[in-house]
Structures are given as C-alpha cells and as structure tokens.
C-alpha cells in the first residue's frame, strides 16, 4: 500500500508539472502574439520618419577631409624627417644635416613624392637662404632672441632688432658680465600655412613679380620698379595666356609648378630657425597670427612688460595701438594662452605691419580651389602636424564641396 501511495503521488506531481509547462508555453505564445500585434499597429499608425537632406548630411566640419590629406602627406614625407630628428644625438645636430640624412635615406617601399624630393634638395642649396643667420634676430638689450620667418612679420621684427642694436652700438653701451650670462627671452610667431603661402605668392608673383617667384622661366615678367629685364615674352604668352587673367587658374598653376624650384618664402615654417619644430615648445612667447585683436592684445602685454625703446619700436613696426580694444576678450577666454611648459601662445592677425602685408587672409576664396588647397596642405603638412596649428574651416568646407 505504501508503494502504491508513493506511485500515485508521483504521478500526480508529474501531471501538475506538465500542466505548468503547458501553461508557460501558452502564455509565452500569447505574449509573442501580442507583441507582434502591437508592433504591427505601430508600424501602421505611425508615419514614416522623414529627414531633410540637410539633416541627413554629415556636417562639413566633421568630414575632416583636409585633416586626412595632412595626415597622409605627413606620413609619406615629413615623418621621415621627424624620425631622423629622434635618433640619438639629433638634438645637437644641425637641421641641414638632418635634411641631408632624410634625403639620402633608403625607403622600404615607394620613394618620396617628387615635390618633397625637390624640397629637400633646395633646402640645402647654396644661396636659397633657408639656413641664413638672419632668421635668428638677437637683441642685446633687453636680451631677446626672435625666430623670424618669411611672411610672418619678419620685416618688422628685423627692423626692431637692427634699430635697437644700432642705437646700443652708437651709445657705446656694453653688456655687463651678468647680462651676458642671462638666458635670452625667446620669441617665435607662426601663421596659418595656407594664408602664408598665398601671401608669399601675392607679394612675390603678383605685386612685385620678383626673382622669388620661381621658376622664373615660367612666372617672371618685366618689373620696371626693380629694373628686372623681362624673359622671353612670347614663350610666357604661350604658357600663361589662357590662365593669366583668371586668379584661381594662375594660382593653381603656380602651386603645381612651384616645387620645381623652391624659394625661401615658401618652405614650411617648421624648417626655419634650424628646424624650429624641434624647439618651439621651449620658447617663452609663441604667437599665432590668426586673429588681429587677440594677437595685438597679447603682443601689447608682452611689450608693455618689456618697456623702453623695445616697446616703442614694436608698437610702431606692428601698427600696435597704444590701447587695445577690450572686445578681444570676448573672442577668447584668456588674453595669454600658455603651453603646458609655460610658453605663451597667442592668437593674432595675419597682417601686422611691414611693407609686405598682402591681406591674404581675406583673399583665400578668390584664389584657392579644392585642387590648390589639397596641394598646399600636402606641401605644408608638417606645420599643421608639429606646430599645433589648426586647419581653417574654410579649407575643410572647400574640399567638402567637391
């Protein structure tokens, strides 16, 4: 009897368990059917989501086409120069030697682009002037060293230094021993590479048509102001007749042909002052001439601190007003932006003083095309990579429109 009772209880338990499983399965099926019905109702009752073309489009500033061009060009070219810079003992090696090592390096894959080969060739060419001592302007009192780069306010700075040193010599002033031991205050100023390149073109190829517009066989015309004889005008007519009246076409032709013979005004800023890309973070004042108000404001604070004839001459040469408009504070949260090592980094305008100002920053749309933007970004990719310079939005926009 006991066995029979246990058997009956076991059978009842199995029945209850089976019934529970069946109920769970039925409930699951009903839930799935309900969810499917709800989904169907929603699909029918809700209108399809429609987005405008503007909403579907990726913002131009997010496409980063220009940044991709810069990164790729840098890896194919200037990254090899930086690699030579990083070898043991390179800090005390002249930049001229590093250029030679890079030019003679055996590449594991494809050779350098042709324009980079000619850049390395011409950088060390006698007479080109990239390694000229005049790029280092040394002021005796106060002790100031300025890295002057063509088309980045170099003429005003050289005028300041030459005038003050001449005055010191005329006064018979000599430095005390303790002054000779002082570390100089080091200044460097950079500029947006695209605007600087256009400024050099306007100055040397359009406004003055000087011997700096190379290759001269293609681009130099008669220049009565400087007494330069014209080249074969008939040959130039054949080469440039169609494009000479179109600023964009003429500039694009120059961008393509210019690397045949590099001129000192067109090398990347990183290659001046013994390869300043190696040292600029250790400078005491680093200015970026991208917005007039903020650059003038930071320069005003610098010269005010220095005082004396230095302040007077800098204000004259850079057309720096005696009082700076405070509205510049609305464009940047801080007047002086400092690098992590304490160097001052200031933003400023492209055109400040000198006889060679061209207003290039306001003319980029009149001269650049997507093709010429792409090429110049390649030529100057080291500046946008190693000098922490931002690619301007207009360049990204122009490339995104293609």
């Amino acid at each position: 009897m006991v066995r029979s009772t246990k058997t009956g209880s076991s059978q009842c338990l199995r029945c209850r368990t089976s019934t529970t499983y069946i109920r769970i399965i039925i409930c699951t099926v009903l839930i799935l059917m309900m969810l499917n019905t709800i989904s169907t109702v929603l699909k029918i009752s809700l209108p399809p989501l429609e987005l405008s073309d503007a909403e579907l489009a990726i913002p131009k500033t997010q496409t980063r086409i220009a940044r991709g061009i810069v990164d790729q060009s840098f890896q194919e070219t200037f990254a090899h120069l930086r690699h030579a810079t990083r070898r043991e003992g390179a800090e005390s090696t002249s930049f001229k030697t590093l250029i030679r090592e890079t030019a003679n390096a055996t590449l594991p894959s494809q050779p350098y682009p042709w324009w980079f080969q000619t850049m390395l060739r011409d950088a060390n060419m006698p007479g080109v002037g990239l390694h000229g001592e005049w790029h280092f302007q040394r002021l005796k009192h106060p002790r100031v060293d300025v890295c002057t780069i063509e088309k980045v306010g170099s003429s005003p700075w050289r005028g300041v230094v030459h005038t003050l040193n001449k005055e010191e010599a005329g006064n018979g002033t000599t430095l005390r021993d303790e002054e000779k031991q002082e570390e100089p205050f080091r200044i460097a100023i950079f500029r947006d590479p695209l605007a600087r390149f256009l400024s050099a073109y306007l100055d040397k190829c359009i406004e003055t048509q000087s011997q700096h517009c190379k290759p001269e066989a293609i681009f130099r015309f008669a220049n009565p102001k400087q007494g330069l004889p014209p080249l074969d005008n008939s040959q130039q007519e054949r080469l440039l007749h169609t494009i000479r009246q179109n600023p964009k076409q003429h500039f694009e032709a120059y961008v393509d042909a210019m690397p045949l013979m590099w001129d000192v005004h067109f090398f990347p800023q990183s290659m001046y002052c013994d390869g300043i890309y190696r040292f600029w973070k250790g400078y005491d004042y680093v200015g970026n001439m991208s917005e007039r108000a903020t650059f003038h404001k930071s320069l005003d604070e610098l010269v005010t601190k220095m005082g004396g004839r230095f302040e007077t001459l800098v204000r004259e040469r850079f057309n720096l007003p005696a009082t700076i408009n405070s509205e510049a504070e609305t464009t940047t949260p801080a007047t002086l932006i400092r690098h992590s090592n304490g160097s001052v980094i200031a933003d400023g305008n492209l055109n400040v003083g000198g006889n060679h100002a061209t207003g290039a920053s306001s003319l980029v749309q009149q001269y650049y095309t997507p093709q010429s933007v792409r090429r110049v970004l390649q030529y100057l990719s080291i500046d946008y990579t190693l000098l922490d310079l931002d690619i301007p939005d207009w360049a990204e926009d122009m490339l995104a429109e293609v």
Side-chain angles (χ1 to χ4, degrees), residues 18-35:
S18 299
T19 302
T20 301
Y21 286 156
I22 292 172
R23 288 176 178 173
I24 292 173
I25 292 172
I26 292 173
C27 289
T28 302
V29 171
L30 290 174
I31 290 172
L32 292 174
M33 291 176 64
M34 291 174 62
L35 290 174

Side-chain angles (χ1 to χ4, degrees), residues 160-315:
V160 169
V161 173
H162 291 174
T163 300
L164 287 177
N165 283 341
K166 185 176 180 180
E167 290 178 359
E168 290 287 324
N171 294 332
T173 304
T174 58
L175 294 178
R176 298 188 303 271
D177 290 339
E178 58 269 23
E179 289 179 323
K180 294 179 181 179
Q181 300 302 321
E182 292 177 359
E183 285 293 325
F185 188 90
R186 297 195 296 172
I187 297 174
I189 298 179
F190 302 131
R191 178 179 187 175
D192 172 58
L194 287 167
R196 172 179 173 265
F197 188 98
L198 177 58
S199 177
Y201 165 79
L202 294 174
D203 182 24
K204 306 305 177 184
C205 299
I206 301 300
E207 296 181 6
T208 62
Q209 298 175 353
S210 74
Q211 68 271 23
H212 292 292
C213 187
K214 294 181 173 65
E216 293 181 79
I218 301 176
F219 294 104
R220 201 186 87 191
F221 294 86
N223 191 343
K225 291 183 180 180
Q226 297 186 1
L228 296 176
L231 299 177
D232 184 351
N233 286 333
S234 61
Q235 182 186 43
Q236 290 178 324
E237 276 299 318
R238 292 197 302 272
L239 291 172
L240 301 176
H241 174 73
T242 305
I243 65 173
R244 196 166 53 195
Q245 304 305 318
N246 187 312
K248 289 189 175 182
Q249 290 182 357
H250 191 272
F251 180 59
E252 189 170 300
Y254 180 77
V255 169
D256 288 338
M258 180 274 303
L260 291 170
M261 186 178 294
W262 285 84
D263 180 77
V264 69
H265 294 82
F266 294 91
F267 283 99
Q269 296 164 82
S270 299
M271 299 178 71
Y272 294 81
C273 299
D274 201 33
I276 195 171
Y277 70 90
R278 303 187 288 170
F279 312 114
W280 71 270
K281 292 182 180 180
Y283 274 56
D284 300 292
Y285 176 91
V286 180
N288 184 347
M289 301 163 68
S290 56
E291 292 183 7
R292 184 184 187 91
T294 48
F295 174 71
H296 273 180
K297 189 170 180 62
S298 66
L299 190 60
D300 172 75
E301 294 192 4
L302 173 65
V303 299
T304 300
K305 178 181 178 181
M306 294 288 191
R309 284 285 289 159
F310 180 84
E311 176 183 2
T312 301
L313 286 174
V314 171
R315 290 189 183 280

Side-chain angles (χ1 to χ4, degrees), residues 135-154:
H135 294 302
F136 293 98
Q137 293 295 304
R138 294 181 169 89
L139 185 59
K140 297 177 181 178
H141 188 77
R143 294 293 303 280
V144 176
D145 285 358
V146 185
C147 171
T148 58
I149 300 173
E150 270 71 12
K151 305 310 300 176
V152 193
S154 59

